[in-house]
Structures are given as structure tokens and as C-alpha cells.
Amino acid sequence: LPRRARSGRLDSGLVAGRGRREPISRRERPAKKALSRAAIVKAALEIIDAEGVDRLTMRRLAASLDTGAASLYVYFADIEHLHAAILDQLLGGLDLKRGKAEWDERLVGLLVSYTELLHAKPALAGKAIFTRPSGDNYLGLLDFILALLREGGMEPVSAAWAADVLLLTATAIAAEQGRRDERAGSAREEEELAEVIAAVSPAEYPHLAAASGALLSGAPEERLRWAFLAVIRGAMATPGADVRIP
Amino acid sequence: LPRRARSGRLDSGLVAGRGRREPISRRERPAKKALSRAAIVKAALEIIDAEGVDRLTMRRLAASLDTGAASLYVYFADIEHLHAAILDQLLGGLDLKRGKAEWDERLVGLLVSYTELLHAKPALAGKAIFTRPSGDNYLGLLDFILALLREGGMEPVSAAWAADVLLLTATAIAAEQGRRDERAGSAREEEELAEVIAAVSPAEYPHLAAASGALLSGAPEERLRWAFLAVIRGAMATPGADVRIP
DNA sequence: ACCTGAACACCGTTCAAGT
DNA sequence: ACCTGAACACCGTTCAAGT
């Protein structure tokens, strides 16, 4: 095992007696599995769950796989492709069953599930706005959303554009909401905008002052369902032709 | 001027004759202005315009102001607060005039302007999803949107939630679209998802295959206007009570 | 083809020390 | 109060060299 023997990490585990550092045992790092896209994504998800998305870096991920960061570039062109693959894997947990409720109620439920899935990983949601995944699970989700919209009788162009907007909205809300939760720990100035809105001057911003109660009202899930419902209803009432620029 | 004399950057300008490096002249760095929030934001905008948002870092920004990165922390708690201040400054360029068109047409136009403003700065738009600005210009924009929605007769809670969703949607679209444009230079695999969608298997994803033409159809501005119009119409038809969870 | 260590070219933030 | 250099604790990506 020449490579492992040369490893600095392993060496420090073997040089015993100094500072009681936990030895890197065979239990922790069993029979060094071969690298693969799937194995890398799995390890990435473990890091995210254990320490949060911010701690997921190429270097840290590589270390958890007992290799160097450079090795990951055999499987992913860059960190954005890695993020896309992780997100697609996550989407595999979505339940795309038929169900018996009305099509719009099922669609809202699905989008809420999607948002909640991303909610715990706000940083990942933020990345997803830039790099949408193009894996099987994302395609399956998109296909299912289109099916529901068509089931509801939505015009084809509206349905296509609505699916796009709905997914983007869900992703953006997950990114925003999730980050807000993360910050809650700091406690000193959680929700700066909310505070500013609550204290805004009626003379300077009359409509804002009048609406401040409404702006801060509603449980997160209510507002989430409202957003999806509004987009669906609006899309239903808006054929693509309404915005055609000649 | 003891500090400037000690500056490594300036020294390298003074040691003449080596490699023809452009001297840091008084024209370029005139009479070293005092730091202030406004001066820092101004310098940041100059960097963004000249080199793109990705090049805007605390260290680089500080260097352009002839100081060290640590000095900026007197004015901004962290880089996110800096981003929020930059975005708010940018929003000052928005035209909030009354106009004579119908309220919804004016609102769509305003949101398109907002998106275009951010479009050139996709990375900044991406940050704005996490940290919304809470400066005067953002408040003014929010106030104006609320005024238009109320002018259209929208129910107060719907109007408040719609303003929030519209701004988030515009920001997310700007982030997504802008990044796509940035990538166009690479030319090898522009729009991975689009390619995948165009070539999707009808057996596996029947609705997606059927909608692939519609999904890729439409000019960016058509789709943008459609998205805003759909949200506005949907919000009009969706009172907050429709999603109240008892 | 796959994997590696080392290097390259950077980051944001903190802090003791100065003015 | 404001400003600084230096340090701390990191990053993503490339590349020559190995197997």
C-alpha cells in the first residue's frame, strides 16, 4: 500500500502517543472504496448533513474520501457540476406518485415538498439558481409538473413557461428562507429587512407603512402555498400570446 | 504622508526603470479621499463595471482605495452588508415616475427594468436572494410596487405577498439569465439543460418531450413579461385566505 | 485512464498595534 | 474612532509525475 503509507493523514494517525488524537481506524475508513460519481455524491451528502453545505468544499470532500482534491476532477469538471449532481441525487427523494387530489392541489404539494427538500440546504439552493441540474431526477420532476399542468388543461406554452417559473420560484424561496433560518442563531439582528419594514416612516413610504403588517404576516408554509397557487392560476389565465412582441 | 510612503504599492511605482510598469500617477489616485460608506460603494461599482462582480473582493476593493482589507470592516460588518449596499445604490437608477399606462403595464415595465439592472450583475443578483437590501432605494421600490398593486385594487395581503414574490422572481431570473450569458463565451456546452431537454427520450419523459419546443421557445423578454404578468394576475385571483391553515 | 502532491493564485475575517 | 500589516484559516483549479 505505498500510497497510503505516504499519506500525511495516515502517518499522523500511526504516530501514537501524541495528544491522544483518535486513530484513523479500519472501521472509519473501510477498505478504501474506489472513486466514482456516485460514491463522491454520497460522501458529499454526508458532509452536508453532518456539517452544512458551507463546509462542503472540494478539498474537504476529497479528504473524506482519503484522496486529494485533484482526484475529484476526473469525475466532475468543476464544483458547479458537483453541486448539480448532488441536487439531482437529492431530488430522488421526491414522491412523484399519482395521488387522488385535484391536479393543482397535488402540484402545490409537490412544490412544497421540493422547497422543503432544498430548505435544509439553502446554499445548495442558491447554487441551483445558477446551475440547474440536468440529471434524471430533475427531468422526472419537470416531466411530472408538466403532466399535472396539462391535466389541468393549461395551454402548452403557458404550461412550459409555468413549470420553469415554478421551479425557479421554489428554488429561490428555499434559498432565501433557509438562509434566514441559519442566521437565527446570531439573534442580534435576525431579519434586518423585516425590522426596517416594521419601523418605516409613513410620511416617506406611505404604502409600505400601510402594508407592513401584511408584509410580515402569514406562516412560511401559507406564503409558500400562496406563491405557487398564484403562479398556477396566473399562468392558467395568461397564454404566451399575451406577451408576444411583434 | 507617512502611510503612503510606507505603501508597497506606491514604492513599486516609484522604483522606476524596471519592466516599464505604469506609474501610479496622481491622476489615477488623486489626493487619497477619505473612506466612507459612499466612497467604498462607489469604488465597488467601478470594479464591477470594469472587471465583473466575481472580481469584487474585500482585498481588491481595499487595494483600489489604497488601503488594507481590514479598513473596510469599519464601514461594513461583512461582505454581505457590502453587497446589500451596492445593490441599493444600483436601485437608485430606477425610474419610479408615475406614467400614464395602465397600472399593470407600468408594473411589468418597472420589474423588467429592475431585472435588466441586475442582469449585468448576475453574481450580485445571486447574493441579493440571500441578503435583500434594506436601504432607501429598495424601500422606495417596494413602496412603489405596493402603490401600483393597490391602484389595481388588489387585496392588501395579496398585494404585500405579491410584491415580495415579484421581487424575488425578478432577482432569481436576473441571476439565472445573467449567468447564462456570462457562460456563452465558453461555447462548448452552453445551456446543458436546454440540450438535454431538446434530446430527451419520449418513452421516458413523454410530457417533457412533447413540451420541449415550448420550453425552449420565446425571447427572454417575452418570458420575463409573461412571468410577471402571470404572478400579477394570479395574485389578483388569490386572496391570502385561500391558503390559510387553521 | 486514473490518481497524486505540490503549487498557483487567490479568499474573508480578526487582531494587536498604532494614530 | 479610525486605520493598518500581518496572520489565521482556509479556498478552486492546474499540472507534472507517477501507476
Side-chain angles (χ1 to χ4, degrees), chain A residues 188-204:
Chain A
R188 30 187 154 141
E189 39 165 338
E190 33 172 359
E191 311 216 30
E192 283 169 347
L193 184 56
E195 262 178 49
V196 171
I197 285 173
V200 94
S201 137
E204 245 181 312

Side-chain angles (χ1 to χ4, degrees), chain B residues 154-197:
Chain B
M154 192 177 288
E155 191 238 336
V157 170
S158 297
W161 294 1
D164 193 50
V165 170
L166 286 168
L167 246 11
L168 188 63
T169 303
T171 309
I173 292 177
E176 192 208 20
Q177 289 271 0
R179 181 57 66 135
R180 183 164 348 198
D181 293 356
E182 242 171 43
R183 289 298 163 77
S186 66
R188 29 185 155 143
E189 39 164 340
E190 33 172 0
E191 312 217 29
E192 282 168 348
L193 184 57
E195 262 178 50
V196 171
I197 285 173

Side-chain angles (χ1 to χ4, degrees), chain B residues 89-161:
Chain B
Q89 171 73 18
L90 225 40
L91 260 29
L94 238 35
D95 182 20
L96 302 185
K97 275 200 295 291
R98 289 273 117 198
K100 54 226 157 300
E102 275 297 286
W103 70 273
D104 52 352
E105 190 42 50
R106 278 190 284 149
L107 179 50
V108 169
L110 176 65
L111 290 165
V112 169
S113 299
Y114 171 83
T115 310
E116 278 166 359
L117 206 75
L118 285 187
H119 189 268
K121 286 102 171 133
L124 200 58
K127 316 278 190 191
I129 290 166
F130 294 115
T131 316
R132 308 245 202 138
S134 52
D136 282 345
N137 291 323
Y138 190 79
L139 294 180
L141 174 61
L142 196 50
D143 191 74
F144 192 68
I145 292 172
L146 287 165
L148 288 170
L149 291 173
R150 298 293 288 134
E151 183 184 329
M154 192 177 288
E155 191 238 336
V157 170
S158 297
W161 294 1

